[in-house]
Amino acid sequence: MSSTGIIPPASIGFIGLGKMGQPMVRQLARAGYRVLAHDLDPRAVKRACETAGVEAPGSLKTIASRCETVITMLPDGKAVRSVTLAADGLLAGFSSERLLIDMSSSSPVGTRELGAELAARGIDMVDAPVSGGVRKAEDATLAIMVGGEARTIERCRPVLESMGKQIFLTGPLGSGHAMKALNNYVSAAGLAAAVEAVLAAARFGLDPGKVVDVLNASTGMNNSTLNKFHRFILSRAFDSGFSLDLMVKDLKTALEVARASGTPAPLAHACVDAWSEAQAALGPGLDHTAVVRYWERLAGTELGKK
Ligand code: NAD
């Protein structure tokens, strides 16, 4: 099998044209790759055709048979498994030189299972989840954490470099997905800690905006206080581009990693419980920054612009 990098104008399949998939296919097209894309939602496909010039053959099997590699950017590992192994799915079109790059935030346990099934059919797989959200997808500066065999990663490195700025090799297949879930646990715990602190400060008589400014100049600063509070929470815009449902999924995955490795994680348990209760109380389809409304309900106080 060739270990040469996949470079433009190679054809790349891309499955999952949601909030992240849209800017990612634009970057691939801008780098000179031919992109063949698919999504269950025809409006998402139409948008990618219009804004990124992708081709949409309408069949997963056709995409797999015409592309050197296929990227999945789907809600979770179950969706990746389904598009790969379904009767008319990617595997039906893959020949043995092909490669699956799962850039979704999937469960690492499921990724290892899928990787083993693909390896038995001569197909390579890497997990390459991303961090940085829609904003960093739009300017191709995503952080990408990649698990898999070094030779396979070198093959897809040029593809990943067209979408990301920092490419981290995290270890064997599944390690990227484990890293991503644990990162999002730390991120969600930081957001929750800051929400509780800002609410307590507000109820004690302090101005929420000023509290965030002080945190940002002090040791309590984190990514949420820096990049989310003023812009998405205190403004009440709640439009960061990353959903509450996906965050809860990532938190459950982080707990799965802790369990699978026999690691005590009482704070992660508390975090999963709180975010899951918030999701149940607030309902589906919200931005993850709207989670603050759950803590506001508990406190009977709403944070807002002053
Ligand atoms: P999204 O919900 O906006 O998009 C998912 C897309 O997948 C949708 O367009 C949906 O129609 C499509 N889809 C679902 N099942 C499908 C199937 N079986 N076949 C074809 N298409 C299918 O999600 P997103 O925010 O773009 O996130 C995608 C992945 O990236 C998730 O795993 C998420 O956790 C991760 N992620 C998201 C962000 C972010 O800021 N949004 C950041 C980092 C990682």
Side-chain angles (χ1 to χ4, degrees):
M1 183 182 300
S2 160
S3 59
T4 337
I6 299 168
I7 53 169
S11 294
I12 296 187
F14 200 104
I15 319 299
L17 300 165
K19 292 187 188 69
M20 294 295 284
Q22 294 286 343
M24 289 165 77
V25 290
R26 284 199 291 277
Q27 293 305 338
L28 288 169
R30 194 167 296 156
Y33 290 105
R34 276 190 295 266
V35 183
L36 280 70
H38 178 74
D39 193 289
L40 281 181
D41 181 352
R43 288 165 307 176
V45 175
K46 185 167 180 277
R47 188 168 164 222
C49 291
E50 286 169 1
T51 61
V54 309
E55 199 186 321
S59 145
L60 291 165
K61 185 177 166 186
T62 306
I63 290 176
S65 68
R66 287 180 49 198
C67 294
E68 269 193 58
T69 183
V70 176
I71 295 172
T72 41
M73 194 55 178
L74 293 163
D76 56 28
K78 283 187 193 131
V80 175
R81 191 175 172 82
S82 134
V83 301
T84 308
L85 302 181
D88 269 333
L90 298 172
L91 191 56
F94 273 140
S95 61
S96 64
E97 292 278 310
R98 308 302 191 195
L99 162 66
L100 178 68
I101 307 175
D102 182 19
M103 301 190 78
S104 332
S105 305
S106 303
S107 149
V109 177
T111 298
R112 288 193 172 158
E113 286 166 8
L114 180 59
E117 288 170 64
L118 292 177
R121 306 281 293 269
I123 310 296
D124 290 326
M125 177 176 182
V126 300
D127 50 322
V130 305
S131 187
V134 173
R135 186 169 54 90
K136 293 202 171 186
E138 266 161 4
D139 57 11
T141 57
L142 290 165
I144 308 183
M145 37 216 108
V146 198
E149 286 186 17
R151 194 184 51 141
T152 314
I153 294 172
E154 286 319 303
R155 251 178 98 201
C156 61
R157 183 182 280 281
V159 178
L160 300 178
E161 283 176 347
S162 69
M163 294 175 280
K165 192 169 168 197
Q166 287 176 288
I167 316 283
F168 295 98
L169 274 54
T170 47
L173 184 68
S175 61
H177 282 152
M179 181 67 242
K180 170 65 189 172
L182 293 169
N183 172 76
N184 278 22
Y185 155 57
V186 174
S187 172
L191 195 153
V195 168
E196 288 182 4
V198 176
L199 265 169
R203 286 167 61 81
F204 203 70
L206 283 77
D207 172 66
K210 200 169 283 176
V211 172
V212 173
D213 292 342
V214 175
L215 287 171
N216 285 338
S218 309
T219 52
M221 177 263 286
N222 65 32
N223 179 56
S224 295
T225 64
L226 210 50
N227 296 314
K228 299 180 186 173
F229 261 80
H230 281 299
R231 191 160 165 206
F232 305 121
I233 295 174
L234 298 183
S235 68
R236 315 306 282 177
F238 302 127
D239 60 352
S240 77
F242 180 53
S243 77
L244 175 56
D245 303 324
L246 291 177
M247 182 63 108
V248 171
K249 173 231 13 176
D250 290 342
L251 282 166
K252 289 179 177 166
T253 306
L255 210 50
E256 191 182 302
V257 175
R259 274 198 201 106
S261 57
T263 312
L267 187 56
H269 271 282
C271 209
V272 170
D273 287 348
W275 280 77
S276 302
E277 280 161 26
Q279 182 193 32
L282 299 172
L286 293 178
D287 191 83
H288 82 286
T289 54
V291 77
V292 68
R293 288 187 187 144
Y294 169 72
W295 270 275
E296 289 175 340
R297 275 190 205 172
L298 294 181
T301 298
E302 192 173 294
L303 299 171
K305 281 188 283 192
K306 280 226 169 158

